[in-house]
Amino acid sequence: MPTKPDSQAPQVFPLAYESRLEARPLSQVDLVVIHCTELPDLTTAREYGERVLYPARADGSGGTGNSGHYYIDRDGRCQRYIAPDRIAHHVRGYNPRSIGIELVNAGRWPHWLDSRHQAMEEAYPDAQVDALIALLNALRADLPSLRLIAGHEDLDTAMVPASDDPDILVPRKRDPGPLFPWQRVLDEVRLERMQVGVTPPTPAKLRASGA
């Protein structure tokens, strides 16, 4: 019989561009950001992480893409794509100070910005949440400056035109979404939830402003 994945020990599978990401002292990290992949599986999430979105420049910088540091599959398997001492591109405005953790979850996939498909209905399995809690506690022990936790939706509250109707605004980011068990995580991890914005409203018609 297959053995249960060891969620206590993330497997290290660095992305090809990891060494080109800016280095940072671990003392700079005080925040962890929880995401969901909004993709069907870990294989697809890896493919997205491998995409080079920022072309290489003459000074040797660039040639990188968007990725979290850690990915946790539905069965609790945990993989590390980017080392914590590198700045990954995973959340607008907070990358230099944060670690990104991605939970495999379909979210709004494949109609991310369609106003008719904004529900996030996939629950987070116990094995996945247990692995997340274990990882958070390990990071908390390894990084004395780590004290804050946030959801992607807490930090990126932008509203954008819906893909099906530009007169409707939808949240740019909703992850980890309404089914993420915040209370369970906060009860078991000594981190304070950081919220800089309000929860994005449900899709709504823009008011005619004349502006």
Side-chain angles (χ1 to χ4, degrees), residues 78-180:
C78 182
Q79 297 185 353
R80 193 187 84 188
Y81 291 178
I82 303 294
D85 62 357
R86 298 281 175 173
I87 299 176
H89 304 295
H90 65 97
V91 58
R92 289 180 171 184
Y94 296 86
N95 290 320
R97 63 185 288 190
S98 68
I99 286 175
I101 299 178
E102 296 269 2
L103 305 176
V104 176
N105 183 288
R108 299 172 293 177
W109 177 84
H111 307 290
W112 300 281
L113 299 181
D114 190 313
S115 66
R116 300 161 297 181
H117 297 276
Q118 289 299 298
M120 299 180 72
E121 298 176 340
E122 181 182 352
Y124 293 89
D126 286 341
Q128 189 177 46
V129 178
D130 289 343
L132 171 63
I133 290 169
L135 175 60
L136 289 172
N137 281 323
L139 291 171
R140 183 74 178 84
D142 292 342
L143 305 174
S145 58
L146 183 62
R147 60 186 181 84
L148 298 170
I149 187 171
H152 197 180
E153 62 187 331
D154 297 330
L155 306 180
D156 188 339
T157 59
M159 302 291 287
V160 296
S163 58
D164 59 305
D165 185 342
D167 288 333
I168 297 176
L169 291 181
V170 296
R172 180 175 178 271
K173 298 295 180 182
R174 290 202 69 204
D175 56 310
L179 297 184
F180 182 74

Side-chain angles (χ1 to χ4, degrees), residues 20-79:
R20 295 195 291 274
L21 292 166
E22 185 179 349
R24 65 182 174 188
L26 290 176
S27 59
Q28 183 173 308
V29 179
D30 68 345
L31 169 66
V32 62
V33 181
I34 307 300
H35 304 256
C36 79
T37 58
E38 293 208 86
L39 293 168
D41 50 45
L42 186 61
T43 298
T44 308
R46 177 72 185 198
E47 292 171 355
Y48 271 69
E50 290 173 345
R51 295 179 179 180
V52 173
L53 303 175
Y54 311 107
R57 296 187 288 270
D59 62 3
S61 62
T64 62
N66 293 335
S67 171
H69 292 83
Y70 296 91
Y71 284 71
I72 302 177
D73 210 344
R74 295 175 176 93
D75 62 1
R77 179 175 35 145
C78 182
Q79 297 185 353

